[in-house]
Amino acid sequence: MSSDRLRRAIVETLLNRDPRKSICPSEAARNLAGPDEKQWRLLMKPIRQVAVDMAKAGEIRILRKGKDVADPGDFRGVYRLALPGPSKTPER
């Protein structure tokens, strides 16, 4: 799947959410692949890479435990995505 399509899925998912809230990257994956876990899970690594590129460009934020990651290219674990700017309610 193209990085442009993944980028659009991330942006569309974020825009359909309250701007003060974040999304799980799997929401964008499910929006593309549907509810079949085997299908959307295949998109998780590519979505992460696109999200890292977007965060480095200032298009989105990558959050861990409600806070921006220090280095979008070097973080581990569960993360969420948010629009740029302060997020008053980082979780769902």
Side-chain angles (χ1 to χ4, degrees), residues 4 7-8 11 21 34 40 50 56 59 61 66 68 89 91:
D4 285 338
R7 182 181 301 266
R8 279 194 308 272
V11 170
K21 299 198 178 189
W40 64 258
V50 168
K56 287 179 178 179
E59 298 172 42
R61 297 165 52 213
D68 291 311
T89 310
E91 300 303 317

Side-chain angles (χ1 to χ4, degrees), residues 19-32:
R20 297 167 297 174
K21 299 198 178 189
S22 62
I23 64 165
C24 179
S26 66
E27 292 176 63
R30 285 191 296 268
N31 286 343
L32 284 170

